[in-house]
Amino acid sequence: MKAQFHLALPCESIEATKVFYVNTLGATLGRHTDKWIDINLFNNQLTFTESGAFDFKFKNYKLDDSILPSFHFGVIVDIEIWGVLYKNLLQSNQEVTTEATFMENKVGEHLSFFITDPNGYMIEFKSFKDKSGVFAS
């Protein structure tokens, strides 16, 4: 089954959030008001509502030798798109994590990097070596 996701998140500034997703990541702006926006991120709908800071108690977890953000969302893209996005973001003034391969030589092996949006949300962009590994157990 092919489907799109919708994720709604609080944000501190609609304007800063819009600039980041549209100008930095190249996403498109959908329906919006002065208090909320819809963003089309690789055909998935992110809705941000201006509501102030949001806090999570457990910020990180360990996967193999890497410390990763507990709360993050991401997009799975083809390696070509992943490479272009990674290169473009490295050339911008955004702080991007170094590319890393997770679950190397195992089912689910994928290449990832993370970037933080203006609200402090971590976004992971990943590309699987074998697409059948996305949901394999």
Side-chain angles (χ1 to χ4, degrees):
M1 180 170 96
K2 188 170 181 147
Q4 298 166 301
F5 75 77
H6 161 74
L7 179 63
L9 298 167
C11 74
E12 293 187 45
S13 166
I14 288 294
E15 189 57 32
T17 301
K18 179 171 52 175
V19 166
F20 175 80
Y21 283 91
V22 174
N23 296 348
T24 303
L25 294 183
T28 55
L29 180 65
R31 297 173 301 136
H32 60 283
T33 70
D34 60 339
K35 293 292 179 191
W36 64 267
I37 57 174
D38 281 342
I39 298 291
N40 177 344
L41 185 65
F42 294 97
N43 256 355
N44 296 288
Q45 184 189 56
L46 298 180
T47 299
F48 290 95
T49 304
E50 194 168 76
S51 58
F54 197 75
D55 190 26
F56 290 91
K57 191 172 185 176
F58 300 103
K59 304 279 188 206
N60 300 302
Y61 73 100
K62 186 173 182 179
L63 175 63
D64 300 324
D65 293 328
S66 298
I67 303 296
L68 301 174
S70 294
F71 181 79
H72 67 274
F73 63 94
V75 180
I76 300 167
V77 295
D78 290 333
I79 192 64
E80 295 81 19
I81 293 170
W82 187 99
V84 168
L85 187 58
Y86 184 70
K87 179 183 173 189
N88 289 344
L89 289 171
L90 283 178
Q91 293 173 351
S92 73
N93 63 350
Q94 302 294 316
E95 185 175 335
V96 180
T97 63
T98 304
E99 66 179 79
T101 300
F102 294 102
M103 304 177 75
E104 194 163 8
N105 299 317
K106 297 177 185 170
V107 173
E109 179 178 338
H110 61 279
L111 191 59
S112 290
F113 72 86
F114 290 86
I115 186 168
T116 305
D117 84 354
N119 306 294
Y121 296 124
M122 295 295 290
I123 308 165
E124 179 180 15
F125 290 92
K126 59 169 76 174
S127 183
F128 281 79
K129 182 177 182 178
D130 178 355
K131 290 180 184 178
S132 69
V134 172
F135 292 110
S137 54

